[in-house]
Amino acid sequence: MEPVSPLKPAEPRDRKLSIHVVTWNVASAAPPVDLDSLLQLDSQDPNLDMYVIGLQEMSCGIMSLLSDTAFEDPWSSFFMDVLSPLSFIKVSSVRMQGLLLLVFAKCQHLPFIQILCAKSTPTGLFGFWGNKGGVNICLRLYGYYVSIINCHLPPHLANNDQRLEHFDWILEMQNFEEPDIPNILDHDLIVWFGDMNFRIEDFGLHFVREAVKSQSYSDLWEKDQLSIAKRCNTLLREFQEGPLLFPPTYKFDKNSNSYDTSEKKRKPAWTDRILWRLKRQPHTDSCTPRLPAPGFSLSLRSYVSHMMYTISDHKPVTGTFDLELKPLVSVPLITLKPEALWAVENAMLINYSLTQDFPSSPWDWIGLYKVYINMSDIPETEDQFLLCYYSNSLRSVVGISNPFKIHAFLEEDPLGEVQPQM
């Protein structure tokens, strides 16, 4: 490896990142065969940059947890197999019993995503058991602080006060050991979603079902416990949500689109929600509204449920967002590329450039990775590869090369047969 002169910072350009958020209580089920609609892969032009996927009630028996410790759990493996060929990299993941949070990003964004921490907050049994609670991934995205929380709050209509207490507890416990990481409420963006278990008050089962059947959702919104709580709770009011224009996502008979036909006949409810909160500027005076920080805005493109999936008593919910930002970090900390032509029979050199403030470490390393592509498109002897620079101190990939080929030269052997030189 041969270092060259430091990079000069470039003028930052505005960026728009499309982020697809998935929340689903899977009720211990295995992944179905096809999740294209859930991941927007059946769209003609999904144009997505990141996936944020949160599951609740994954199978978490003793044998399952032991297996998932030794190997990737079935859901993580499924998403990896589907998204990897589309140039998405798993940036980070965190699991607490039945809760799983995954973050995927397109390869080109990796040098601008720094994972700061991933943590779990159990709230079951007074904070000692992880059957309920939240999992969080805190990251820096193009220099902005972003927190992503997947939660599972207490169930049942009568436990609304307990749900709100757990919401506050999860938020309060998001303290960070690193001194340079601000409090979560000072983060530029919080995305909070999951099985929040809020129910519909007052109305009886027959009225709720008839309102759902006639799509008279506005009659139910006023009695939705989360909507009611936001009117009274100042902090909760700062979290935004898209309009609930889809049917309540709970409770269905498994393998059907029929609401609960068991003896309990639970009322339908919007238990599965996606919220977000942008950091607000301080008040300048009492008449000035608090606005998001300049150069950083989030808009909701779609907020829908997916009725076609029937493996659970919950329907999955997705939100697709457009995040517009002026990058605070516009140049990778490391830029690297292969030196001259790479061939399997020659010594291979790498040129790399680094910014002046890069905290290099003797434990940094550069890895060579094969690009996943259709082998029918290129000669079998010339696969494509990437170089990735991993920073030990930042615990992140901070530089990625452009794809390149490693050539295998051919020559004739004494018998006149052409052989690749390996």
Side-chain angles (χ1 to χ4, degrees):
M1 296 183 293
E2 297 180 357
V4 296
S5 58
L7 294 171
K8 294 181 179 179
E11 187 69 24
R13 296 182 304 165
D14 290 356
R15 280 188 172 272
K16 182 167 76 172
L17 305 181
S18 295
I19 304 172
H20 190 63
V21 180
V22 177
T23 179
W24 194 3
N25 183 321
V26 297
S28 299
V33 175
D34 183 1
L35 286 178
D36 282 3
S37 177
L38 186 72
L39 300 175
Q40 284 198 347
L41 301 182
D42 55 356
S43 172
Q44 289 185 349
D45 184 22
N47 193 28
L48 297 173
D49 296 281
M50 295 180 67
Y51 281 96
V52 174
I53 301 170
L55 305 180
Q56 308 87 41
E57 286 194 22
M58 286 179 55
S59 180
C60 58
I62 295 297
M63 294 307 296
S64 175
L65 287 174
L66 288 175
S67 174
D68 294 347
T69 301
F71 309 99
E72 197 88 71
D73 68 86
W75 282 94
S76 295
S77 296
F78 182 92
F79 289 121
M80 287 279 289
D81 291 343
V82 171
L83 296 176
S84 292
L86 304 176
S87 299
F88 283 94
I89 309 294
K90 187 175 80 170
V91 175
S92 184
S93 67
V94 58
R95 181 174 179 182
M96 180 180 70
Q97 290 185 219
L99 277 170
L100 174 67
L101 177 58
L102 300 164
V103 176
F104 291 85
K106 275 286 183 68
C107 183
Q108 64 265 30
H109 301 301
L110 224 56
F112 304 99
I113 301 175
Q114 181 185 348
I115 301 301
L116 302 176
C117 71
K119 62 186 301 182
S120 305
T121 305
T123 59
L125 288 178
F126 307 101
F128 292 101
W129 189 242
N131 64 322
K132 295 293 185 289
V135 289
N136 177 28
I137 292 174
C138 172
L139 54 88
R140 288 189 72 193
L141 179 64
Y142 285 93
Y144 294 91
Y145 286 93
V146 177
S147 264
I148 302 166
I149 302 174
N150 171 27
C151 74
H152 194 183
L153 303 181
H156 307 308
L157 179 66
N159 288 337
N160 193 44
D161 288 344
Q162 190 180 16
R163 272 188 286 281
L164 295 173
E165 289 174 4
H166 284 208
F167 190 97
D168 290 341
W169 176 251
I170 293 169
L171 193 60
E172 185 178 335
M173 293 304 293
Q174 300 309 310
N175 46 9
F176 305 102
E177 297 177 359
E178 300 292 336
D180 58 339
I181 303 178
N183 181 278
I184 187 171
L185 294 179
D186 292 320
H187 285 194
D188 299 284
L189 172 64
I190 303 172
V191 181
W192 193 324
F193 56 91
D195 180 0
M196 298 187 178
N197 258 321
F198 290 105
R199 307 303 171 97
I200 296 172
E201 292 186 348
D202 298 342
F203 296 134
L205 173 65
H206 179 72
F207 180 88
V208 172
R209 288 194 172 182
E210 285 300 311
V212 173
K213 186 176 180 180
S214 62
Q215 298 186 7
S216 302
Y217 303 137
S218 59
D219 295 334
L220 307 179
W221 295 336
E222 293 297 315
K223 298 299 181 179
D224 169 67
Q225 289 178 331
L226 178 55
S227 301
I228 295 171
K230 290 181 71 173
R231 295 174 209 148
C232 309
N233 187 308
T234 304
L235 182 57
L236 193 56
R237 194 183 305 138
E238 293 187 2
F239 284 87
Q240 301 178 63
E241 182 181 17
L244 297 170
L245 302 178
F246 49 86
T249 53
Y250 175 84
K251 178 185 196 300
F252 290 86
D253 292 335
K254 289 186 180 181
N255 302 311
S256 81
N257 283 324
S258 301
Y259 286 104
D260 191 8
T261 59
S262 68
E263 292 183 1
K264 294 183 178 180
K265 289 187 170 59
R266 296 176 181 86
K267 283 194 299 184
W270 286 287
T271 58
D272 310 280
R273 314 289 278 266
I274 300 174
L275 312 177
W276 72 94
R277 176 188 182 272
L278 289 169
K279 179 183 176 181
R280 304 287 170 171
Q281 295 177 325
H283 280 292
T284 54
D285 58 65
S286 58
C287 300
T288 304
R290 299 177 72 193
L291 300 173
F296 190 87
S297 64
L298 189 74
S299 59
L300 180 65
R301 194 194 304 174
S302 72
Y303 188 37
V304 297
S305 64
H306 298 262
M307 296 291 291
M308 71 284 294
Y309 299 110
T310 62
I311 61 171
S312 169
D313 53 354
H314 292 251
K315 300 299 182 184
V317 172
T318 61
T320 307
F321 299 88
D322 289 326
L323 176 61
E324 296 190 45
L325 55 86
K326 182 179 289 292
L328 302 177
V329 178
S330 57
V331 175
L333 293 174
I334 294 287
T335 300
L336 66 167
K337 62 181 180 179
E339 175 72 11
L341 180 69
W342 274 34
V344 294
E345 62 180 5
N346 297 334
M348 303 176 188
L349 299 178
I350 300 170
N351 268 345
Y352 67 92
S353 306
L354 58 156
T355 57
Q356 293 180 347
D357 56 349
F358 174 66
S360 60
S361 162
W363 298 102
D364 293 352
W365 50 268
I366 295 176
L368 178 67
Y369 297 91
K370 187 175 179 180
V371 179
Y372 188 103
I373 55 178
N374 187 344
M375 290 303 300
S376 64
D377 295 337
I378 60 172
E380 292 184 4
T381 54
E382 295 187 359
D383 297 339
Q384 284 195 308
F385 294 84
L386 291 172
L387 292 167
C388 295
Y389 189 110
Y390 180 84
S391 166
N392 184 67
S393 56
L394 298 178
R395 296 169 295 181
S396 302
V397 171
V398 294
I400 300 178
S401 73
N402 292 323
F404 64 94
K405 294 178 180 180
I406 299 178
H407 300 274
F409 293 112
L410 303 179
E411 67 177 24
E412 289 190 5
D413 68 5
L415 299 177
E417 296 179 355
V418 176
Q419 300 288 345
Q421 297 302 295
M422 303 300 290

